[in-house]
Amino acid sequence: MNIAKIETFLVPPRWLFVRIETDDGVVGWGEPVVEGRAEAVAAVVDALAERLVGADASRIEDHWQVMTKGGFYRGGPVLSSAVAGIDQALWDVKGKALGVPVYELLGGAVRDKVRVYSWIGGDSVQALAEDALRAKEHGFDAVKCNGAAQLGPIESPAAVKRIAGQFAELRAAVGDDFDIAIDFHGRFSAAMARRVLPLLEPVMPLFVEEPLTPEFSRDLATVTAGTSIPIATGERLYSRWDFRDVLPTGIAVAQPDLSHAGGISEVRRIAAMAEAHGVALAPHCPLGPIALASSLQVDFATPNFLIQEQSLGIHYNQGNDLMDYLVDPSVFAFDEGYVARPTKPGLGIEVDEAAVRKAAERGHRWRNQVWRLKDGTFAEW
């Protein structure tokens, strides 16, 4: 079962898919992408393909080692995301060849269904509450939203109270039988985190995500020590070595992204490391259907799993959404905030190849916003 062909597809709204076909006709799919840098990742996939075409598709771990270490220069989001997508596709191939879901190859399922949360947005507390209540009506019992817009290193008392106040109002609107996760997208300085997080404690968030950027990971210990709120981080950590120094800081939730952190192979190892530190796993996944399918395969085989992000209806998905590239979208049917264990082989989904090829003719050039403060200086987006 040798690799015969590797293709990439740049598809809207902001995704990159990879297709691997073996010489006996088995096809696997992966999602290698850095949002806003999809073209660069596609170029690295093409470079890695030079060594992979003609090789045995079943030797996933050997390929992972060579892809991550064989080029001498290592790490970084572009390389690790290219590896991640190829890794996903190889697991898909192997599962299909053996006729079993990937989670069976990871030791078997430890749960029958996976809890998921929904993204909400809005420019006002009223809009946030309306979106949260709508999600609640649809059966979800957890949502996540951004915590604030651009922030300076030390904000005014009014700005701090505004952040705390909006979440107090959101909690009052949805009640206590509903989880709220808050994503600060690395917009806090350590000083702002220490100031704001204690004020959010009455809201009892499920977790606060990425209060600091990864460059300041060493400061997470001071942040976690100053609040009872569970702290989550990891979407911009790309390997077990990145997580090695973060897991002992007192974080509660590790959030590696299956399309950034080396794929199924590496996230499985990160999950095991997290378990040894009493840290739960909640894979980051505001991306497409292949990334979500890969995340779920790990979730079902991971004892310390907490909750899964998914992008259905997220504000980034303009023009195309999560189900558009699937033959059977029912595999992601959310029932009372859970998704059932998939039973089809490989990643458990059937990609609509015709739809992918047609969408790739249009492609995309998605870029994230660049924010600035009032004085014109750069602000974290």
Side-chain angles (χ1 to χ4, degrees):
M1 191 173 68
N2 294 332
I3 298 170
K5 183 188 296 186
I6 299 179
E7 301 174 88
T8 56
F9 303 91
L10 203 66
V11 297
R14 58 177 191 154
W15 304 331
L16 178 69
F17 296 165
V18 62
R19 179 186 184 274
I20 294 181
E21 183 176 351
T22 68
D23 55 9
D24 54 357
V26 181
V27 173
W29 290 87
E31 193 168 335
V33 68
V34 174
E35 300 93 304
R37 301 289 186 270
E39 301 91 339
V41 180
V44 175
V45 171
D46 288 343
L48 294 172
E50 295 177 8
R51 289 184 179 271
L52 291 169
V53 172
D56 183 352
S58 68
R59 298 185 62 179
I60 299 173
E61 182 60 29
D62 185 60
H63 294 320
W64 193 95
Q65 295 291 330
V66 171
M67 287 190 293
T68 57
K69 302 173 183 177
F72 186 72
Y73 295 99
R74 305 179 183 186
V78 172
L79 174 60
S80 62
S81 297
V83 170
I86 292 170
D87 182 81
Q88 294 169 12
L90 291 175
W91 279 104
D92 195 25
V93 165
K94 192 159 191 172
K96 288 174 178 175
L98 297 175
V100 296
V102 169
Y103 62 76
E104 294 289 4
L105 304 178
L106 301 177
V110 297
R111 57 183 49 84
D112 298 320
K113 57 185 180 180
V114 156
R115 188 186 183 202
V116 297
Y117 63 82
S118 183
W119 259 94
I120 61 171
D123 296 326
S124 67
V125 176
Q126 181 180 354
L128 281 176
E130 289 173 355
D131 282 357
L133 290 171
R134 191 175 299 113
K136 193 172 185 179
E137 289 172 4
H138 291 161
F140 291 97
D141 63 0
V143 295
K144 186 170 81 175
C145 57
N146 281 318
Q150 55 263 58
L151 295 169
I154 301 176
E155 281 288 352
S156 67
V160 171
K161 290 179 180 180
R162 187 163 51 247
I163 294 170
Q166 70 176 351
F167 289 109
E169 291 185 44
L170 180 58
R171 169 58 72 204
V174 300
D176 290 338
D177 60 344
F178 193 83
D179 275 321
I180 302 167
I182 305 172
D183 185 357
F184 282 105
H185 237 230
R187 295 168 190 165
F188 279 164
S189 63
M192 274 292 288
R194 290 193 295 268
R195 174 170 285 182
V196 173
L197 290 177
L199 301 180
L200 294 175
E201 289 180 1
V203 177
M204 298 185 71
L206 176 63
F207 55 75
V208 160
E209 177 174 330
E210 210 179 27
L212 308 180
T213 56
E215 303 95 291
F216 295 98
S217 291
R218 70 179 185 180
D219 297 326
L220 280 169
T222 65
V223 172
T224 60
T227 181
S228 64
I229 295 174
I231 300 300
T233 196
E235 68 183 81
R236 289 186 276 185
L237 302 177
Y238 310 120
S239 72
R240 76 196 92 154
W241 293 279
D242 288 346
F243 275 93
R244 179 184 60 180
D245 298 328
V246 171
L247 290 171
T249 63
I251 67 166
V253 184
Q255 297 177 298
D257 190 306
L258 270 289
S259 283
H260 300 327
I264 292 170
S265 295
E266 186 70 345
V267 171
R268 175 66 166 165
R269 291 186 278 258
I270 292 167
M273 289 176 63
E275 184 181 13
H277 287 84
V279 174
L281 181 78
H284 180 259
C285 189
L287 293 169
I290 305 170
L292 178 57
S294 300
S295 298
L296 290 172
Q297 295 295 325
V298 172
D299 299 341
F300 277 104
T302 299
N304 53 318
F305 166 78
L306 176 66
I307 196 167
Q308 178 61 57
E309 180 175 26
Q310 53 84 26
S311 73
L312 187 63
I314 198 171
H315 50 287
Y316 300 123
N317 295 357
Q318 296 182 4
N320 289 90
D321 213 330
L322 188 64
M323 310 299 190
D324 292 355
Y325 299 109
L326 297 179
V327 173
D328 179 14
S330 68
V331 69
F332 292 149
F334 303 127
D335 182 19
E336 298 299 317
Y338 287 82
V339 61
R341 180 157 46 93
T343 57
K344 293 181 179 178
L347 296 181
I349 59 173
E350 184 179 354
V351 174
D352 186 339
E353 185 171 328
V356 170
R357 291 187 181 276
K358 183 176 180 180
E361 294 175 1
R362 180 160 48 105
H364 70 82
R365 291 188 64 82
W366 187 89
R367 301 291 186 262
N368 64 261
Q369 300 177 55
V370 173
W371 281 357
R372 295 188 181 276
L373 300 174
K374 289 181 180 180
D375 65 358
T377 54
F378 171 82
E380 291 290 340
W381 171 72

